[in-house]
Amino acid sequence: MRTSLTLAVSAALVAGTALGLAPAAQASDTASTGIRFVDIAGEGGTVLKANVVTPAGAGASARLPLIVLPTSWAMPQIEYLAQAKKLADSGYIVVSYNSRGFWQSGGEIETAGPKDIADASKVIDWALANTPADAGHVGMAGVSYGAGISLLTAAHDPRVKAVAALSGWADLIESIYSGRTQHLQAAALLGGAGYLTGRPGPELKQILGDFLSSNLDKEDEMIAWGRERSPVTHLDRINANGAAIMLGNAWGDTIFPPNQYASFYEKLTGPKRLEFRPGDHATAEATGLFGLPNDTWTNAHRWFDHHLRGVDNGIDREQPVQLKSRSTDGYEGYPDWKSVHANQRKFDLDGTQRVWANVDSGANGGITLLTNLLDQFLRTPPTVSVPLLPRAFAGVWQSERYDTPQRVRGTAKVHTTVTSTKESGTLVAYLYDVGPLGVGKLVGNAPYTFHGKTPGKPFAVDLELFSTAYDVPAGHRLALVVDTVDPLYIEHNPTGAQLTFSSPSADPSYVSVPLREK
């Protein structure tokens, strides 16, 4: 595990360097657009390293829309130069800055805390004072960390009129602690990258240590810390300020899963757009950072053009929810997220099955960043042989064989009754597309952890799998597999624990799968 995480961190940093080099190589060709590297005084005077890209020929008397781009976690300030140039060529002033605590910027890593939000407002102040930017037309965008900071700033600074938040989070707790389960690889990757490229503050060090060590005595403090840094906590202020919000994410994002973005989207009351595509964390936007054609960035530009420059480009007349299936090309439009779930099909989880804990059955969600990146480009999700799964360590239930394709869209839900021999435990549910030879391709998964249960006493479990869009071919069936160990997560099963899954007649167990009718 330590080796794989170290390799993952190294790969992320190498990718970051490559992303930085691509725009840097173009710098010599962009002199006409006016690239400047500057120091900006953030909150408390902390120096933020930044770059400013100005349209060619923009005079001091011009008033142009402003885009502010906070960098992603662990990324250098040149991350967005390729996109900044494209925006400047369209008539925007663009200021990108290295978030505090990373690389050459001063301060310590605050993890989108109050100082980070104050920094973003200070950058806007600086741009309005030192560039021909228009105070009435300010937008923010970013990938991952930059997305979260942009959304939080929209809650606290009413000057922000439009946001494109890509591969970000709306609920930090539901992102890395969903199902009351620590997302081990995600947290370790973020923590490792933070230590390698920045200066974590004492608060972050404490939170990360308590989180990875499963310190339940500090659980309430960790949740409060995460809630403060979650845009959904500040939803009323975001809605009151009325910024136009575009959210984009990948189905397989193992750091910020899509469910929490979809839930947040439904609660927004201003102009809004939601896009989900195949891939993992930030992989849907990555080619755009190289300056290559990219759907996500193209639509982000269209979003700003309409809401900051008043361009009638039709984006406001499109269906606001745009989904791309992991199985097919092209996009599907929906009027809202609940319409995605309009058609539900259940299959029962009959009988009683018992599994021993602490052993990985072979079913798992893959490796952070790598697995879903392969699925994005090669359509190769993790696979298992369902007939060969060891029934001592995995519960398995299968649907009937379907005569027609089943187009899974949205969030599958599991309801079951669990009895444990111990007071604590973890289970992981997986939904597979099973072909005629018994090979299962992963459709979705999610973890669930419980504490303080009475051994031997049944309790109900309701679990939402991570949202997805996947087409099950005709002649295949769906299978639910439940085991207790997955390298993606920290598990809480005491040695020798056993879990029993049952379906009482008064409360039958089932899987509910959302399907697109046509």
Side-chain angles (χ1 to χ4, degrees):
M1 176 59 68
R2 287 175 182 156
T3 301
S4 64
L5 288 172
T6 300
L7 289 173
V9 172
S10 299
L13 293 174
V14 169
T17 302
L19 290 173
L21 289 176
Q26 301 175 21
S28 61
D29 298 327
T30 60
S32 61
T33 58
I35 298 175
R36 292 186 291 145
F37 291 86
V38 300
D39 291 348
I40 297 176
E43 177 68 8
T46 297
V47 174
L48 305 175
K49 295 293 183 178
N51 57 72
V52 184
V53 186
T54 306
S61 61
R63 283 295 170 259
L64 302 175
L66 168 68
I67 304 291
V68 174
L69 303 168
T71 54
S72 304
W73 186 271
M75 292 292 282
Q77 61 157 307
I78 56 175
E79 175 186 7
Y80 300 115
L81 271 183
Q83 288 302 318
K85 179 185 182 300
K86 291 177 182 289
L87 286 164
D89 288 345
S90 297
Y92 294 91
I93 303 292
V94 185
V95 180
S96 174
Y97 70 96
N98 230 124
S99 304
R100 72 163 52 221
F102 286 105
W103 295 93
Q104 291 88 5
S105 281
E108 297 175 327
I109 300 172
E110 298 284 334
T111 320
K115 291 182 181 179
D116 289 304
I117 312 311
D119 283 345
S121 290
K122 293 286 188 181
V123 171
I124 294 173
D125 293 342
W126 183 93
L128 295 178
N130 294 276
T131 74
D134 183 353
H137 297 84
V138 178
M140 289 190 68
V143 176
S144 186
Y145 196 45
I149 291 175
S150 295
L151 286 173
L152 288 163
T153 305
H156 292 84
D157 193 329
R159 294 176 297 181
V160 178
K161 303 301 183 185
V163 172
L166 312 177
S167 289
W169 75 92
D171 190 325
L172 195 56
I173 301 302
E174 283 301 308
S175 294
I176 62 174
Y177 196 49
S178 68
R180 208 180 177 186
T181 308
Q182 296 97 326
H183 294 209
L184 172 61
Q185 290 187 19
L189 177 61
L190 291 172
Y195 274 96
L196 285 171
T197 64
R199 298 167 299 283
E203 186 179 32
L204 175 57
K205 291 177 182 178
Q206 183 67 49
I207 290 291
L208 190 61
D210 290 338
F211 184 82
L212 292 175
S213 65
S214 305
N215 187 351
L216 288 178
D217 291 337
K218 296 290 187 178
E219 184 180 38
D220 289 344
E221 292 180 24
M222 289 186 287
I223 289 175
W225 179 87
R227 290 284 181 241
E228 181 185 17
R229 290 158 170 78
S230 297
V232 70
T233 302
H234 310 280
L235 178 69
D236 289 347
R237 297 182 66 166
I238 293 174
N239 285 335
N241 288 341
I245 307 291
M246 172 183 161
L247 305 172
N249 205 354
W251 293 119
D253 194 320
T254 47
I255 295 180
F256 302 130
N259 303 46
Q260 44 92 33
Y261 244 20
S263 175
F264 178 69
Y265 170 84
E266 285 290 89
K267 298 170 185 174
L268 292 170
T269 58
K272 57 184 180 178
R273 182 179 177 92
L274 177 68
E275 300 182 355
F276 285 141
R277 299 174 175 83
D280 205 312
H281 184 64
T283 64
E285 301 87 18
T287 56
L289 296 177
F290 285 99
L292 300 174
N294 181 278
D295 290 350
T296 306
W297 283 105
T298 295
N299 286 340
H301 288 224
R302 294 174 64 220
W303 189 251
F304 287 132
D305 285 347
H306 179 73
H307 290 286
L308 295 182
R309 297 176 60 228
V311 177
D312 184 12
N313 54 20
I315 197 167
D316 57 318
R317 295 187 293 276
E318 297 172 359
Q319 296 275 43
V321 176
Q322 294 287 322
L323 310 181
K324 185 176 183 181
S325 170
R326 293 162 51 202
S327 307
T328 59
D329 295 322
Y331 290 86
E332 303 166 356
Y334 298 83
D336 48 40
W337 179 248
K338 64 178 178 289
S339 298
V340 179
H341 298 80
N343 181 35
Q344 298 278 332
R345 184 168 187 170
K346 293 183 178 180
F347 69 89
D348 295 329
L349 307 179
D350 292 328
T352 299
Q353 298 195 36
R354 296 179 177 86
V355 300
W356 291 97
N358 309 117
V359 177
D360 190 342
S361 70
N364 65 69
I367 300 172
T368 290
L369 297 183
L370 177 61
T371 298
N372 292 312
L373 178 65
L374 294 175
D375 187 40
Q376 175 183 350
F377 290 104
L378 303 178
R379 294 178 182 165
T380 55
T383 59
V384 296
S385 173
V386 174
L388 296 181
L389 286 170
R391 296 312 196 260
F393 309 116
V396 179
W397 299 262
Q398 297 193 71
S399 72
E400 76 274 19
R401 199 179 303 277
Y402 300 117
D403 295 329
T404 59
Q406 305 294 295
R407 296 178 176 86
V408 180
R409 298 292 186 274
T411 310
K413 299 179 181 180
V414 177
H415 174 77
T416 190
T417 296
V418 177
T419 306
S420 174
T421 59
K422 305 290 184 180
E423 69 163 3
S424 295
T426 297
L427 59 94
V428 186
Y430 309 88
L431 188 65
Y432 284 101
D433 158 27
V434 184
L437 299 180
V439 175
K441 296 181 178 180
L442 186 65
V443 178
N445 75 297
Y448 181 91
T449 294
F450 57 89
H451 297 288
K453 298 298 183 181
T454 302
K457 183 178 180 179
F459 59 93
V461 169
D462 288 286
L463 177 61
E464 290 189 349
L465 304 188
F466 299 135
S467 303
T468 195
Y470 180 96
D471 295 350
V472 179
H476 288 211
R477 65 181 73 202
L478 287 168
L480 183 77
V481 175
V482 180
D483 71 3
T484 63
V485 176
D486 189 311
L488 284 172
Y489 313 112
I490 291 178
E491 52 99 0
H492 297 264
N493 297 294
T495 302
Q498 190 179 43
L499 301 181
T500 300
F501 300 90
S502 58
S503 182
S505 57
D507 187 20
S509 298
Y510 60 85
V511 178
S512 180
V513 182
L515 301 174
R516 181 179 174 90
E517 291 184 343
K518 295 181 180 179

